[in-house]
Amino acid sequence: MNAEIDRKEKLELNKLQKRLRRMTGQAIADFNMIEDGDKVMVCLSGGKDSYTMLDILCNLKKSAPIHFDIVAVNLDQKQPGFPEHILPAYLADLGVDYHILEKDTYSIVKELVPEGKTTCGLCSRLRRGSLYGFAEEIGATKIALGHHRDDILETLFLNMFFGGKLKAMPPKLLSDDGKHVVIRPLAYCKESDIEQYSLRKAFPIIPCNLCGSQENLQRQVVKEMLQGWEKQYPGRLDTMFSAVQNVVPSHLADTELFDFKSLTQSEDALKRLNIIEL
């Protein structure tokens, strides 16, 4: 009985890995995320998404037609009770190059953000600045983040509902200073697949105690809304992500994106109208 269970578990794990490999490889190809000779800095938080990203990228590296290097980087933000030993032990056992970057952003966030207010905005800016600076130090040509398809859709709705903008997370991004190329290899991957893969691989997950307890975050509200839609109408999130990839600027209302003012009827059309009026 146990042998049969083990066999089924292995089959399911293989199916998940193949699916995640395929989707990640497709995203890398579609957006030219990784090129020959790249040094990819994989940002490892200790969550399911970044563990999965590192695992799949290491797997793809073995059979990729190009050569690229991977270096895992964790930002230790000095949160009280953070288990500092877990990631070094995991990465050393994995045999991947890694760095643990120590920056006390926790104290800064707690000092500047009033009690009860959302910490994610400031925390992410501080984290991004630290990681960008370190990428430059080690000569990384790409910075890989673990955001997946569901993150991208959640960001789309967050920006619409609370920011008045129609934008999401791009799978590939040039930083504002033009120095860094940020990639999201899991852009096509479903969070549900990542969660199942993470459970089956038994990654040593480290929870974020800084913001994980903030249950009323706007992002959490949007996440629950999208998950509700998917449960009621299976496949809706796939359709919505397809919409992000099929934008028609002429059917929106951004005058910077499309030249509406120059739209006029052609002379032939005007002549036909005149004939009809006569």
Side-chain angles (χ1 to χ4, degrees), residues 10-154:
K10 287 180 181 178
L11 282 173
E12 187 59 34
L13 178 61
N14 286 336
K15 280 170 58 179
L16 278 169
Q17 187 180 67
K18 286 179 180 178
R19 184 154 63 243
L20 289 168
R21 267 181 57 109
R22 184 178 72 252
M23 302 307 287
T24 302
Q26 189 63 55
I28 290 172
D30 286 351
F31 297 94
N32 194 29
M33 290 185 184
I34 300 176
E35 301 169 88
D36 191 43
D38 267 341
K39 184 173 186 178
V40 182
M41 187 177 98
V42 176
C43 298
L44 193 66
S45 67
K48 68 182 189 317
D49 305 329
S50 59
Y51 273 124
T52 297
M53 174 176 62
L54 176 63
D55 184 273
I56 296 298
L57 286 178
C58 286
N59 194 285
L60 285 171
K61 176 178 164 61
K62 296 175 184 177
S63 57
I66 60 172
H67 171 78
F68 62 93
D69 294 315
I70 291 174
V71 56
V73 174
N74 168 253
L75 177 62
D76 180 354
Q77 298 176 269
K78 296 304 175 185
Q79 296 178 33
F82 182 80
E84 298 179 356
H85 64 286
I86 290 181
L87 281 172
Y90 174 79
L91 293 169
D93 186 60
L94 192 63
V96 67
D97 290 338
Y98 73 92
H99 297 275
I100 305 297
L101 180 61
E102 297 185 2
K103 297 279 186 179
D104 188 5
T105 61
Y106 176 86
S107 296
I108 298 173
V109 170
K110 298 302 285 184
E111 180 182 347
L112 296 179
V113 178
E115 189 68 30
K117 295 293 183 179
T118 303
T119 60
C120 290
L122 177 59
C123 181
S124 64
R125 287 195 297 274
L126 292 171
R127 188 169 63 245
R128 184 165 58 244
S130 298
L131 290 170
Y132 281 12
F134 192 67
E136 196 168 354
E137 280 185 39
I138 64 174
T141 54
K142 302 287 171 58
I143 300 173
L145 304 179
H147 299 117
H148 45 68
R149 183 204 67 173
D150 298 58
D151 287 324
I152 292 172
L153 289 174
E154 288 163 18

Side-chain angles (χ1 to χ4, degrees), residues 151-208:
D151 287 324
I152 292 172
L153 289 174
E154 288 163 18
T155 303
L156 174 70
F157 279 88
L158 276 168
N159 282 319
M160 280 198 294
F161 292 166
F162 305 106
K165 293 181 180 179
L166 191 61
K167 72 172 187 176
M169 288 176 173
K172 186 177 181 182
L173 172 73
L174 184 65
S175 62
D176 292 339
D177 60 10
K179 292 181 178 180
H180 308 286
V181 175
V182 178
I183 59 174
R184 295 182 169 98
L186 301 183
Y188 290 170
C189 299
K190 299 179 181 180
E191 184 174 21
S192 57
D193 284 345
I194 292 170
E195 189 167 11
Q196 284 301 311
Y197 188 71
S198 178
L199 286 170
R200 284 181 161 84
K201 291 286 286 187
F203 294 135
I205 303 299
I206 302 173
C208 176

